[in-house]
Amino acid sequence: MMPNNSTVTMFVLLGLTQDPQKQKLVFFIFSIFYGGTFVGNSLIIVTIKFSRTLGSPMYFFLFYLSLADFCFSTSIAPRLIADSLSAKKIISYNECMTQVFALHLFGCMEIFVLILMAADRYIAICKPLRYPTIMRRQVCVILIVFAWFGSFIHATAQIVLLLKLPFCGPNLIDHYCCDLQPLLKLACMDTYTINLLLVSNSGVICSSSFLILMISYVVILHSLRNHSAEARKKALSTCTSHITVVIIFFVPCIFMYTRPPTTFPVDKMVAVFYTIGTPFLNPLIYTLRNAEVKNAMRKLWNVKIMTK
């Protein structure tokens, strides 16, 4: 995978901190976060897969959101946790490029699924009579296939651009993972044009998706005035969960991917929100605020206990 004009075969990740005591704290805190992400998203995936009551399009899309969250966090968190106990946080060139690909593949998939979930809520609330016709199972499957395909194209485009960059040293990445901005800073060439291409890819996807989602939820909330009090309460609960996820995920993404190739001391903490925080919070937001998912989990758990 290495370009011919690169002499760097591996990178050193500086991580979140160089302080040995703080590194132990990083290990403890992020082990809890990743453990919660692993268990929470796995529970949602298994529950939706085997529950007969969660067959609506909303839960079909939630299944893929949890899957994307699980894979997204797994591409980052285990290495961060392991590196917090290592003296030298070395990652090979190929591993670094693979991590960038996984980060953008599953991150982009999460964006597309959030858009599909917003579209599903819009049709369910604003066009309830046409909802069963529009959101048929076959349509949902096709939409998810397109989401995976679009995510693959996005991640591939990022990697193709990164592979054109020569790295001649230094090889110190001031981050806890391989990503665009810190790698652009290390390239031994003028990265202005490539940065514009990367921004037009990641930055435009983040900004336009956030704008689309916010507009869709404004339209949804505006249309609720014509519904009953009970329907408004249920729809508001669902939309509030979605909006919370959108803000936590997109605001840090927009900050990271819509600017020149510069790094700031706050970058690593901002990145924690969307790489570690969002995959951890999504299961809590979608289960603690959703009675149907909680009831389905209880029923599934009780059935498994009884069969034993």
Side-chain angles (χ1 to χ4, degrees):
M1 289 177 62
M2 282 187 60
N4 294 329
N5 50 352
S6 280
T7 57
V8 171
T9 59
M10 61 184 64
F11 297 99
V12 177
L13 297 166
L14 295 182
L16 285 171
T17 177
Q18 297 295 299
D19 188 311
Q21 295 302 318
K22 290 181 180 178
Q23 285 184 352
K24 293 178 182 177
L25 188 62
V26 166
F27 173 83
F28 177 74
I29 292 174
F30 288 97
S31 294
I32 293 174
F33 269 88
Y34 182 63
T37 300
F38 184 94
V39 172
N41 284 293
S42 297
L43 275 174
I44 291 177
I45 290 169
V46 171
T47 301
I48 295 175
K49 180 69 176 177
F50 294 102
S51 175
R52 296 179 180 178
T53 61
L54 303 179
S56 68
M58 181 175 75
Y59 298 114
F60 176 80
F61 294 135
L62 179 57
F63 174 91
Y64 283 98
L65 179 67
S66 293
L67 180 62
D69 273 336
F70 178 87
C71 297
F72 184 59
S73 180
T74 300
S75 68
I76 302 295
R79 175 170 282 277
L80 169 61
I81 293 167
D83 284 348
S84 65
L85 298 179
S86 303
K88 291 186 177 181
K89 306 168 181 60
I90 297 173
I91 183 170
S92 71
Y93 180 93
N94 288 345
E95 286 176 324
C96 188
M97 295 300 114
T98 301
Q99 189 176 60
V100 173
F101 181 83
L103 179 69
H104 286 270
L105 173 67
F106 299 116
C108 189
M109 183 61 185
E110 181 164 352
I111 290 173
F112 288 152
V113 174
L114 287 171
I115 292 173
L116 292 176
M117 292 176 77
D120 173 73
R121 290 302 85 203
Y122 169 79
I123 297 170
I125 294 169
C126 301
K127 301 180 184 295
L129 297 179
R130 297 181 60 190
Y131 181 77
T133 305
I134 297 173
M135 298 303 293
R136 301 189 308 276
R137 186 74 173 187
Q138 298 91 329
V139 173
C140 294
V141 171
I142 291 170
L143 290 173
I144 283 295
V145 169
F146 273 107
W148 278 115
F149 180 73
S151 301
F152 179 80
I153 294 297
H154 162 73
T156 302
Q158 303 293 73
I159 287 298
V160 168
L161 290 171
L162 282 181
L163 289 176
K164 293 181 179 180
L165 297 177
F167 297 99
C168 315
N171 65 342
L172 299 178
I173 299 177
D174 190 14
H175 212 293
Y176 59 84
C177 66
C178 290
D179 202 1
L180 305 179
Q181 298 292 359
L183 285 171
L184 283 171
K185 189 177 179 182
L186 296 181
C188 48
M189 65 171 284
D190 183 6
T191 59
Y192 178 78
T193 302
I194 289 182
N195 182 69
L196 284 179
L197 293 172
L198 291 172
V199 167
S200 66
N201 190 342
S202 295
V204 169
I205 287 176
C206 288
S207 302
S208 59
S209 299
F210 181 69
L211 185 61
I212 290 169
L213 287 166
M214 288 295 100
I215 292 172
S216 68
Y217 283 118
V218 168
V219 173
I220 290 171
L221 294 174
H222 179 71
S223 68
L224 289 176
R225 56 191 173 83
N226 299 322
H227 291 66
S228 64
E230 184 178 349
R232 282 201 301 269
K233 184 179 178 182
K234 184 177 180 180
L236 277 171
S237 177
T238 303
C239 289
T240 301
S241 299
H242 292 195
I243 292 170
T244 303
V245 170
V246 166
I247 292 173
I248 293 173
F249 183 80
F250 279 95
V251 172
C253 278
I254 292 170
F255 174 79
M256 294 295 293
Y257 296 117
T258 56
R259 67 179 204 221
T262 55
T263 56
F264 301 108
V266 75
D267 282 356
K268 288 184 278 189
M269 293 311 301
V270 171
V272 165
F273 278 96
Y274 68 89
T275 58
I276 308 294
T278 303
F280 172 77
L281 291 174
N282 278 355
L284 298 177
I285 291 170
Y286 285 108
T287 55
L288 293 179
R289 296 179 60 85
N290 192 310
E292 287 182 282
V293 175
K294 287 189 288 186
N295 290 333
M297 283 183 178
R298 291 192 194 99
K299 288 179 182 178
L300 187 64
W301 184 255
N302 289 336
V303 168
K304 289 199 170 187
I305 291 176
M306 289 175 66
T307 54
K308 289 180 180 180

